[in-house]
Amino acid sequence: NCSSEANDLALRLARHFTGHRDVITLDNAYHGHVSSLIDISPYKHHQLPDAERNPYVHVAPSPDVYRGKYRADHPDAATAYADEVRDIIDRAHERGGKIAAFIAESLQSCGGQVVPPVGYFQQVAAYVAQHVRRAGGVVIADEVQVGFGRVGSHFWAFQLQGDDFVPDIVTMGKPMGNGHPLSCVVATPEVAEAFASCGMEYFNTVRPGPPPDTGLGLTPPWSPRNPPVWREPGVLRHRLSRPGRHGERGPAGERRTCGATPDAPAGGAETEAPADRRRQGRGLFVGVELVKDRVTLAPATAEAQEVINRLKEEKILLSADGPHRNVLKFKPPLCFTAQDADLAVEKIDLVLT
Amino acid sequence: NCSSEANDLALRLARHFTGHRDVITLDNAYHGHVSSLIDISPYKHHQLPDAERNPYVHVAPSPDVYRGKYRADHPDAATAYADEVRDIIDRAHERGGKIAAFIAESLQSCGGQVVPPVGYFQQVAAYVAQHVRRAGGVVIADEVQVGFGRVGSHFWAFQLQGDDFVPDIVTMGKPMGNGHPLSCVVATPEVAEAFASCGMEYFNTVRPGPPPDTGLGLTPPWSPRNPPVWREPGVLRHRLSRPGRHGERGPAGERRTCGATPDAPAGGAETEAPADRRRQGRGLFVGVELVKDRVTLAPATAEAQEVINRLKEEKILLSADGPHRNVLKFKPPLCFTAQDADLAVEKIDLVLT
């Protein structure tokens, strides 16, 4: 898929700009399916023997406060996870490695619908400013699965971390072409100019057929520093709302519909069920993790598959993801309505109880 | 473009099958624009400093009998070029390198529309059988630009070398989707099974929109050992014919139209002109190389660009390619007719004289 081309190009941009080769990625990350991206995708390459792993790739812990190294009971998980990145940078430098880039999805998707603790990327960015940028490295935000308003409150998921965090390179794809293979790489002028002056043209072919059904892909590119204004203000509100309470008026007088906010867990799935559940998400990006035991967090992988199979009988298609394939993955398209959400919650409730 | 994904997957297949890493590629080759393919594309990476080149990639001379290391006056250029590949295999083995694959376009496209001397691939395949295959390597034929009947006499360009040459992996793309991004990798059962059993799923997304305009891409895959029967027998004949003599009846009673055969150079371009010309090609795959001097072969790069610019005024779009960008590249679509060929020859004649 063409989002792989976007992430591959982002790595090339970073390496041309810095002249360095090493890349820091997150555990369980998935960034694409071509060779260079499998190298930085533990989600894929954890099945490979160590000998086949790329020695220039460093894996930092996934900032997952439910199942990760530092959890919700940690006094400052954001700092603890960010410090792990700092330590990797330091160790790489000691061994003579030079960091070209830190790359992460703003919210991990295939890695288990993980929402990093507030402040994580800000602190990583601070370390990057001190360490990676001291050596010329860049920060790449992969917004292929989570960008374009999916998180509801912001157009880009990286904005959830605060206005003071701005990546050097942002990659985008999937929703961009409305089903057509369309992707994009946005970079700071410095990074783009370094690539332009390297002498190697960037060549790609554009579909010569009729314009995509959507008319998308024909408008000028956006910049992460200047996010576009969504033409219909209702769209973002459509994604930012409280499930189970749709129809009420929000603070701005808007009618709330569907989607997840941090303070409003999906009520319909709160009833008791054999498997415990962790729910994380923002807007139309939600993960529900099934475990056999709240203490050991033993993944309820088979149960998750059973839920999926039974939902399929109810004509609802869902998938499980994450390293243990026990996280029910909710990533509906923009046309998803409050009625669709009601139906999904009702059927999941039925299956779980 | 998705043909890059096909060639990247072919390399992954070869490396999984063999457990080896080294790849032999041809000088001036172009196999795609993602990192792993730029590594094996001297057409792209010759601009890079040596330090950035992949140490696992070995470059063999392009089997170009016009401008290459061994030329038309060599008693056996095919053997001489094939011996170069054998020597590379030997040297790699001596240094402990293990060859995963030999990859080549069956006819070099961006490398300058090069038609290898008859018997080259057969001998390379023989060396590969003795050397690479002894170590478990595979032969990859890149048919992205030259497959699907473009050469006229055969469906796949590698068949030009004889029925006894069969690659282990064949990649295809461009014409396959009729403008839609569609590509394909075909491999022997052994290679495919080795990948299937490696534990890493191959994931790619398929365009969820309406079926491509063409209806293509929905038929079962072909095998290089069992090339498909083109449904309209006239199509291949359309590509195999003698320019300037279209309309006459061929040996099988078919009406010849346009395209190049080895024994029938394009008559219309034979008139005297400031720049000398080398013409090579098969079917609808033709290169016309412009040089300033028949002995030194000094490339007429600026003149080629001038020809292109003047043809553009005549509403004919052409490009120049090859390492010196002095080879006029003719690779018209299947709908190209004898009348189109007449017009192109007439205008080129006008511009050159």
Side-chain angles (χ1 to χ4, degrees):
Chain A
N1 56 68
C2 63
S3 301
S4 292
E5 299 181 67
N7 280 332
D8 181 83
L9 178 59
L11 290 185
R12 288 175 59 200
L13 287 169
R15 286 173 169 152
H16 274 288
F17 179 65
T18 61
H20 303 162
R21 190 185 297 254
D22 289 32
V23 174
I24 301 173
T25 187
L26 294 181
D27 201 10
N28 305 324
Y30 174 68
H31 293 291
H33 74 113
V34 298
S35 305
S36 62
L37 303 177
I38 290 171
D39 280 349
I40 61 164
S41 295
Y43 180 79
K44 298 289 283 186
H45 78 218
H46 78 270
Q47 299 147 324
L48 294 180
D50 283 350
E52 291 185 33
R53 298 189 189 177
N54 188 319
Y56 299 107
V57 175
H58 311 275
V59 179
S62 168
D64 176 355
V65 294
Y66 181 73
R67 177 181 290 283
K69 187 168 179 179
Y70 310 107
R71 301 187 178 178
D73 58 357
H74 190 282
D76 188 357
T79 301
Y81 279 118
D83 285 351
E84 294 272 343
V85 175
R86 180 201 58 198
D87 293 347
I88 285 173
I89 296 169
D90 288 344
R91 285 198 300 273
H93 279 187
E94 282 164 16
R95 293 203 314 273
K98 292 187 174 176
I99 306 293
F102 169 88
I103 183 169
E105 283 187 288
S106 303
L107 308 171
Q108 275 201 321
S109 305
C110 299
Q113 306 285 95
V114 174
V115 180
V118 172
Y120 169 68
F121 277 114
Q122 285 158 313
Q123 291 187 71
V124 168
Y127 288 132
V128 159
Q130 291 170 37
H131 294 258
V132 178
R133 280 190 183 145
R134 186 186 60 193
V138 300
V139 173
I140 304 170
D142 178 344
E143 293 267 345
V144 168
Q145 294 200 41
V146 297
F148 287 95
R150 174 165 294 283
V151 298
S153 56
H154 300 82
F155 201 77
W156 305 113
F158 71 76
Q159 294 175 295
L160 289 173
Q161 293 276 318
D163 290 342
D164 48 346
F165 169 58
V166 179
D168 301 284
I169 302 175
V170 179
T171 59
M172 5 188 135
K174 291 198 197 310
M176 189 175 172
N178 199 17
H180 293 267
L182 199 63
S183 64
C184 179
V185 181
V186 174
T188 60
E190 302 76 43
V191 171
E193 279 157 20
F195 189 76
S197 63
C198 83
M200 188 190 292
E201 68 173 6
Y202 179 74
F203 174 81
N204 207 333
T205 48
V206 176
R207 179 179 184 278
D213 315 338
T214 56
L216 271 172
L218 303 172
T219 46
W222 305 284
S223 147
R225 292 178 197 275
N226 296 300
V229 178
W230 197 281
R231 288 191 203 85
E232 301 169 57
V235 171
L236 277 186
R237 280 203 294 277
H238 174 61
R239 293 190 170 191
L240 172 66
S241 58
R242 296 177 184 174
R245 296 166 66 187
H246 66 274
E248 71 169 8
R249 293 284 173 177
E254 80 280 12
R255 186 172 292 274
R256 282 173 164 154
T257 51
C258 63
T261 54
D263 57 333
E270 286 297 294
T271 49
E272 275 307 308
D276 275 321
R277 297 174 298 280
R278 177 270 308 189
R279 189 196 60 78
Q280 267 196 326
R282 295 290 184 280
L284 293 185
F285 178 90
V286 176
V288 175
E289 178 159 0
L290 304 187
V291 296
K292 291 178 176 170
D293 184 292
R294 288 190 185 206
V295 177
T296 66
L297 301 185
T301 304
E303 289 80 357
Q305 195 54 51
E306 175 64 17
V307 168
I308 289 167
N309 289 341
R310 287 190 54 195
L311 282 172
K312 197 186 290 176
E313 293 167 11
E314 303 286 343
K315 299 188 171 39
I316 292 180
L317 297 179
L318 206 63
S319 66
D321 221 323
H324 305 289
R325 302 293 189 277
N326 68 322
V327 180
L328 300 177
K329 189 175 183 177
F330 297 85
K331 224 180 61 178
L334 186 57
C335 55
F336 197 73
T337 66
Q339 286 70 31
D340 295 328
D342 282 344
L343 179 69
V345 168
E346 177 195 324
K347 296 299 186 185
I348 292 166
D349 200 24
L350 182 76
V351 164
L352 284 178
T353 51
Chain B
N1 57 67
C2 62
S3 301
S4 292
E5 299 181 66
N7 280 332
D8 181 83
L9 178 59
L11 290 184
R12 288 176 59 201
L13 287 170
R15 286 174 169 151
H16 274 288
F17 179 65
T18 61
H20 302 163
R21 190 185 297 254
D22 289 32
V23 174
I24 301 173
T25 187
L26 294 181
D27 201 11
N28 304 324
Y30 175 68
H31 293 291
H33 74 112
V34 298
S35 304
S36 62
L37 302 177
I38 290 172
D39 280 349
I40 62 164
S41 296
Y43 180 79
K44 297 290 283 186
H45 77 217
H46 79 270
Q47 299 147 324
L48 294 180
D50 283 350
E52 291 185 33
R53 298 190 189 176
N54 188 318
Y56 300 108
V57 174
H58 311 275
V59 179
S62 168
D64 176 355
V65 294
Y66 181 73
R67 176 181 290 283
K69 187 168 179 178
Y70 309 108
R71 301 187 178 178
D73 58 357
H74 190 281
D76 188 356
T79 301
Y81 279 118
D83 285 352
E84 294 271 343
V85 175
R86 181 201 59 197
D87 293 347
I88 285 173
I89 296 170
D90 288 344
R91 285 198 300 272
H93 279 187
E94 283 165 15
R95 293 203 315 272
K98 292 186 174 176
I99 305 293
F102 169 88
I103 184 170
E105 283 187 289
S106 303
L107 309 172
Q108 276 201 320
S109 305
C110 298
Q113 306 285 95
V114 173
V115 180
V118 172
Y120 169 68
F121 277 115
Q122 285 158 312
Q123 291 187 72
V124 167
Y127 288 132
V128 159
Q130 292 170 36
H131 294 259
V132 177
R133 280 190 183 144
R134 186 186 59 192
V138 300
V139 173
I140 304 170
D142 178 344
E143 293 266 345
V144 168
Q145 294 200 41
V146 297
F148 287 93
R150 174 165 294 283
V151 298
S153 56
H154 300 82
F155 201 77
W156 305 112
F158 71 76
Q159 294 176 296
L160 289 173
Q161 293 277 317
D163 291 342
D164 49 347
F165 170 57
V166 179
D168 300 283
I169 302 175
V170 179
T171 60
M172 11 192 129
K174 291 199 199 308
M176 189 175 172
N178 199 18
H180 293 268
L182 199 63
S183 64
C184 180
V185 181
V186 175
T188 61
E190 302 78 43
V191 171
E193 280 157 20
F195 189 76
S197 63
C198 83
M200 188 191 292
E201 68 173 6
Y202 178 74
F203 174 81
N204 207 333
T205 48
V206 176
R207 179 180 183 278
D213 314 338
T214 56
L216 270 172
L218 302 172
T219 45
W222 305 284
S223 147
R225 292 178 197 274
N226 296 300
V229 178
W230 197 282
R231 289 191 202 85
E232 300 169 56
V235 170
L236 277 186
R237 280 204 294 277
H238 174 62
R239 292 190 171 190
L240 172 65
S241 58
R242 295 176 184 174
R245 297 166 67 187
H246 66 274
E248 71 169 7
R249 293 283 173 177
E254 80 280 11
R255 186 172 293 273
R256 282 174 162 152
T257 51
C258 63
T261 54
D263 57 334
E270 286 296 293
T271 48
E272 274 307 308
D276 274 322
R277 296 174 299 280
R278 177 270 308 189
R279 189 195 59 78
Q280 267 195 325
R282 296 290 184 280
L284 293 185
F285 179 90
V286 176
V288 175
E289 179 158 0
L290 304 187
V291 295
K292 291 178 175 170
D293 184 291
R294 289 191 185 205
V295 177
T296 66
L297 301 184
T301 304
E303 289 80 357
Q305 195 54 52
E306 175 65 16
V307 168
I308 289 167
N309 290 341
R310 287 191 54 195
L311 282 172
K312 197 186 292 177
E313 293 167 10
E314 303 287 343
K315 299 188 171 40
I316 292 179
L317 297 180
L318 206 63
S319 67
D321 221 324
H324 305 289
R325 302 292 189 278
N326 67 322
V327 180
L328 300 177
K329 190 175 183 177
F330 297 85
K331 223 180 59 177
L334 186 56
C335 55
F336 197 72
T337 66
Q339 286 70 31
D340 296 328
D342 282 344
L343 179 69
V345 168
E346 177 195 324
K347 296 298 186 186
I348 292 166
D349 200 24
L350 182 76
V351 164
L352 284 177
T353 51

Short mmCIF file of all heavy atoms in Angstrom, two decimals, chain A residues 94-119:
data_model
loop_
_atom_site.label_atom_id
_atom_site.label_comp_id
_atom_site.label_asym_id
_atom_site.label_seq_id
_atom_site.Cartn_x
_atom_site.Cartn_y
_atom_site.Cartn_z
N GLU A 94 27.18 6.18 22.51
CA GLU A 94 28.39 5.59 23.11
C GLU A 94 29.01 4.56 22.19
O GLU A 94 30.22 4.39 22.15
CB GLU A 94 28.04 4.94 24.46
CG GLU A 94 27.88 5.96 25.59
CD GLU A 94 27.17 5.36 26.80
OE1 GLU A 94 27.08 4.11 26.87
OE2 GLU A 94 26.69 6.14 27.64
N ARG A 95 28.14 3.85 21.44
CA ARG A 95 28.66 2.81 20.54
C ARG A 95 28.97 3.37 19.16
O ARG A 95 29.25 2.62 18.22
CB ARG A 95 27.64 1.68 20.39
CG ARG A 95 27.41 0.88 21.67
CD ARG A 95 26.88 -0.52 21.32
NE ARG A 95 25.81 -0.46 20.33
CZ ARG A 95 24.53 -0.29 20.62
NH1 ARG A 95 24.15 -0.18 21.87
NH2 ARG A 95 23.63 -0.24 19.67
N GLY A 96 28.89 4.69 19.02
CA GLY A 96 29.23 5.30 17.73
C GLY A 96 28.06 5.38 16.77
O GLY A 96 28.22 5.81 15.63
N GLY A 97 26.88 4.94 17.21
CA GLY A 97 25.71 5.03 16.34
C GLY A 97 25.22 6.46 16.26
O GLY A 97 25.29 7.21 17.24
N LYS A 98 24.76 6.85 15.10
CA LYS A 98 24.24 8.20 14.94
C LYS A 98 22.77 8.12 14.55
O LYS A 98 22.41 7.51 13.54
CB LYS A 98 25.04 8.96 13.89
CG LYS A 98 26.48 9.23 14.36
CD LYS A 98 27.21 10.12 13.39
CE LYS A 98 28.59 10.48 13.95
NZ LYS A 98 29.38 11.26 12.98
N ILE A 99 21.93 8.78 15.34
CA ILE A 99 20.49 8.66 15.18
C ILE A 99 20.00 9.56 14.03
O ILE A 99 20.20 10.77 14.05
CB ILE A 99 19.76 9.06 16.48
CG1 ILE A 99 20.29 8.26 17.67
CG2 ILE A 99 18.25 8.89 16.32
CD1 ILE A 99 19.98 6.79 17.63
N ALA A 100 19.35 8.94 13.06
CA ALA A 100 18.74 9.71 11.98
C ALA A 100 17.34 10.17 12.37
O ALA A 100 16.94 11.28 12.04
CB ALA A 100 18.67 8.88 10.70
N ALA A 101 16.60 9.29 13.06
CA ALA A 101 15.20 9.63 13.33
C ALA A 101 14.63 8.83 14.50
O ALA A 101 15.05 7.71 14.78
CB ALA A 101 14.34 9.36 12.09
N PHE A 102 13.68 9.45 15.17
CA PHE A 102 12.76 8.75 16.07
C PHE A 102 11.42 8.73 15.33
O PHE A 102 10.93 9.77 14.91
CB PHE A 102 12.62 9.51 17.39
CG PHE A 102 11.51 9.01 18.28
CD1 PHE A 102 11.73 7.98 19.18
CD2 PHE A 102 10.23 9.57 18.20
CE1 PHE A 102 10.70 7.51 19.98
CE2 PHE A 102 9.20 9.11 19.01
CZ PHE A 102 9.43 8.07 19.90
N ILE A 103 10.86 7.53 15.14
CA ILE A 103 9.59 7.43 14.42
C ILE A 103 8.56 6.74 15.30
O ILE A 103 8.87 5.76 16.00
CB ILE A 103 9.73 6.67 13.08
CG1 ILE A 103 8.39 6.66 12.31
CG2 ILE A 103 10.25 5.25 13.27
CD1 ILE A 103 8.50 6.18 10.87
N ALA A 104 7.34 7.28 15.30
CA ALA A 104 6.25 6.65 16.06
C ALA A 104 4.92 7.06 15.45
O ALA A 104 4.78 8.17 14.92
CB ALA A 104 6.30 7.08 17.52
N GLU A 105 3.96 6.15 15.53
CA GLU A 105 2.59 6.57 15.30
C GLU A 105 2.19 7.45 16.48
O GLU A 105 2.54 7.16 17.63
CB GLU A 105 1.65 5.35 15.28
CG GLU A 105 1.67 4.54 14.02
CD GLU A 105 0.58 3.49 14.07
OE1 GLU A 105 0.74 2.52 14.84
OE2 GLU A 105 -0.41 3.63 13.36
N SER A 106 1.43 8.47 16.22
CA SER A 106 1.02 9.36 17.31
C SER A 106 0.18 8.59 18.33
O SER A 106 0.23 8.88 19.52
CB SER A 106 0.25 10.55 16.74
OG SER A 106 1.05 11.22 15.79
N LEU A 107 -0.60 7.62 17.87
CA LEU A 107 -1.25 6.62 18.73
C LEU A 107 -0.95 5.28 18.07
O LEU A 107 -1.18 5.13 16.87
CB LEU A 107 -2.77 6.82 18.78
CG LEU A 107 -3.34 8.20 19.11
CD1 LEU A 107 -4.85 8.20 18.89
CD2 LEU A 107 -3.02 8.57 20.55
N GLN A 108 -0.47 4.30 18.83
CA GLN A 108 -0.16 3.02 18.20
C GLN A 108 -1.44 2.29 17.80
O GLN A 108 -2.32 2.07 18.63
CB GLN A 108 0.65 2.14 19.16
CG GLN A 108 2.13 2.44 19.10
CD GLN A 108 2.97 1.29 19.63
OE1 GLN A 108 2.61 0.65 20.61
NE2 GLN A 108 4.09 1.03 18.99
N SER A 109 -1.50 1.86 16.54
CA SER A 109 -2.72 1.22 16.04
C SER A 109 -2.59 -0.30 16.14
O SER A 109 -3.12 -0.92 17.06
CB SER A 109 -2.96 1.65 14.60
OG SER A 109 -3.02 3.06 14.52
N CYS A 110 -1.87 -0.91 15.17
CA CYS A 110 -1.71 -2.36 15.20
C CYS A 110 -1.06 -2.81 16.50
O CYS A 110 -1.26 -3.93 16.95
CB CYS A 110 -0.86 -2.82 14.02
SG CYS A 110 -1.60 -2.41 12.43
N GLY A 111 -0.28 -1.93 17.11
CA GLY A 111 0.38 -2.25 18.38
C GLY A 111 -0.60 -2.41 19.53
O GLY A 111 -0.19 -2.75 20.64
N GLY A 112 -1.90 -2.15 19.30
CA GLY A 112 -2.89 -2.39 20.34
C GLY A 112 -3.71 -1.18 20.72
O GLY A 112 -4.20 -1.09 21.84
N GLN A 113 -3.88 -0.24 19.78
CA GLN A 113 -4.69 0.96 20.05
C GLN A 113 -4.21 1.64 21.34
O GLN A 113 -4.98 1.85 22.27
CB GLN A 113 -6.18 0.59 20.16
CG GLN A 113 -6.74 -0.19 18.98
CD GLN A 113 -6.97 0.66 17.74
OE1 GLN A 113 -6.12 0.72 16.87
NE2 GLN A 113 -8.09 1.33 17.66
N VAL A 114 -2.94 1.94 21.38
CA VAL A 114 -2.33 2.49 22.59
C VAL A 114 -2.33 4.02 22.56
O VAL A 114 -1.88 4.63 21.59
CB VAL A 114 -0.87 1.98 22.73
CG1 VAL A 114 -0.18 2.67 23.90
CG2 VAL A 114 -0.86 0.47 22.90
N VAL A 115 -2.85 4.61 23.62
CA VAL A 115 -2.80 6.07 23.77
C VAL A 115 -1.68 6.40 24.75
O VAL A 115 -1.75 6.03 25.92
CB VAL A 115 -4.14 6.62 24.30
CG1 VAL A 115 -4.07 8.13 24.46
CG2 VAL A 115 -5.28 6.23 23.37
N PRO A 116 -0.61 7.05 24.29
CA PRO A 116 0.51 7.34 25.19
C PRO A 116 0.07 8.27 26.32
O PRO A 116 -0.85 9.08 26.14
CB PRO A 116 1.53 8.05 24.30
CG PRO A 116 1.06 7.86 22.90
CD PRO A 116 -0.41 7.63 22.96
N PRO A 117 0.69 8.17 27.50
CA PRO A 117 0.33 9.07 28.59
C PRO A 117 0.60 10.52 28.19
O PRO A 117 1.53 10.80 27.43
CB PRO A 117 1.24 8.62 29.74
CG PRO A 117 2.36 7.89 29.09
CD PRO A 117 1.80 7.26 27.86
N VAL A 118 -0.22 11.41 28.71
CA VAL A 118 -0.07 12.83 28.37
C VAL A 118 1.33 13.30 28.74
O VAL A 118 1.81 13.05 29.85
CB VAL A 118 -1.13 13.67 29.12
CG1 VAL A 118 -0.86 15.16 28.93
CG2 VAL A 118 -2.52 13.31 28.60
N GLY A 119 1.99 13.96 27.81
CA GLY A 119 3.32 14.49 28.07
C GLY A 119 4.44 13.61 27.55
O GLY A 119 5.60 14.03 27.55
#
